[in-house]
Amino acid sequence: MEFQISRRSFMAGIGAAATASLPAGAVAREDTGGLAYRTAGELAKGLADRKISARELLDAAISRVEAVDPKINAVLVRDFDRARAAADAADAALARGERRPLLGLPMTVKEQFNIAGLPTTWGNPKFKDWGAEADALVVQRLKSAGAVILGKTNVPIALGDWQSYNEVYGTTNNPWDLDRTPGGSSGGAAAALAAGFVPIELGSDIGGSLRAPAHFCGVFSHKPSLDLVPQRGAGPPQTPASPVRGDLAVIGPMARSAADATH
């Protein structure tokens, strides 16, 4: 399925051409399918106009993860089967004329966020066999908005470093230069965006955990006001899913365009 070329797409193409001087190991510039670096806004319009299906978007995302992520190690918890079911449900909803902000858009979330049936470790080996029983409240809201969550992305242990390495999942590499870090603690999230896996991501920040990885990977993030996004279900593994409040800790969006981060 083809989209009309917009000014933004044209400028993105110029930017892609400029990456010719990147290190030989860079994978962020590789996009044979034409969908990997579309903005969330462009993809949402394509879905609403029925020019592409949610299942096609998801299958393209999964194929790219499977082909490219062995070099990057960003999407370490995968939920592809349930994502396929969610994409099919999104297509049925779109066919009925439903419109929701994220309906049919594939995305990943930072490993810290509880998703029922998936592990939440915060990179700590002692929690590697622990799985959440319920979605974090923010994940519930993403799903209600129509997002198709295909997996979770890597973090440093206890979310406490400006890189993304832990003994459970290993090291995440920067898609622009595999010898460098994508930053942390939302490093897997930023890498997934820069690698063209998904158009939007969900991370968190106390002292730079959204902002530093966005800078390292050339993507966008926003540290919102305190208490704007609820943190229930985003606490450490095996802790009650109760409201969490810190003086600096927030949950915020990450995206490949500034416009996407504003919605």
Side-chain angles (χ1 to χ4, degrees):
M1 303 253 178
E2 294 184 356
F3 298 87
Q4 289 186 346
I5 297 177
S6 65
R7 180 178 181 276
R8 179 180 295 169
S9 298
F10 176 73
M11 295 304 293
I14 294 175
T19 64
S21 61
L22 288 171
V27 296
R29 64 188 176 194
E30 301 169 3
D31 176 21
T32 57
L35 292 173
Y37 290 101
R38 299 283 183 176
T39 67
E42 289 172 328
L43 295 176
K45 187 177 188 307
L47 287 163
D49 293 344
R50 309 300 288 148
K51 293 182 178 179
I52 195 166
S53 70
R55 184 59 183 268
E56 286 172 325
L57 282 184
L58 176 67
D59 286 345
I62 290 174
S63 294
R64 187 163 176 84
V65 169
E66 290 177 336
V68 176
D69 202 40
K71 301 177 183 178
I72 299 171
N73 194 40
V75 185
L76 44 90
V77 179
R78 301 179 181 184
D79 199 20
F80 293 166
D81 288 341
R82 289 195 297 183
R84 291 185 179 100
D88 291 342
D91 280 329
L94 286 162
R96 294 193 299 269
E98 289 188 28
R99 296 294 181 265
R100 283 178 267 159
L102 304 177
L103 186 56
L105 283 177
M107 69 175 296
T108 46
V109 300
K110 191 175 181 178
E111 201 264 3
Q112 85 174 87
F113 299 114
N114 287 345
I115 296 180
L118 298 182
T120 299
T121 70
W122 284 37
N124 192 326
K126 74 178 182 179
F127 299 124
K128 66 184 180 70
D129 296 320
W130 184 78
E133 295 181 356
D135 292 346
L137 181 53
V138 67
V139 171
Q140 294 176 31
R141 292 184 177 181
L142 287 171
K143 290 181 176 180
S144 294
V148 177
I149 300 176
L150 60 92
K152 304 207 287 183
T153 49
N154 206 17
V155 296
I157 186 168
L159 318 183
D161 204 339
W162 280 17
Q163 52 78 53
S164 293
Y165 159 80
N166 61 75
E167 293 182 9
V168 181
Y169 297 114
T171 301
T172 298
N173 302 312
N174 192 311
W176 298 106
D177 185 341
L178 299 177
D179 291 329
R180 298 181 184 272
T181 180
S185 64
S186 304
L193 291 168
F197 297 157
V198 290
I200 49 176
E201 244 279 2
L202 186 70
S204 63
D205 193 307
I206 293 179
S209 287
L210 283 164
R211 294 161 288 166
H215 174 70
F216 286 12
C217 291
V219 297
F220 294 83
S221 70
H222 176 62
K223 183 179 182 182
S225 301
L226 191 65
D227 295 334
L228 188 63
V229 182
Q231 299 193 53
R232 182 187 292 270
Q238 297 183 353
T239 58
S242 57
V244 177
R245 188 183 194 279
D247 290 339
L248 295 173
V250 299
I251 294 169
M254 304 184 78
R256 284 197 301 267
S257 79
D260 286 343
T262 65
H263 297 297

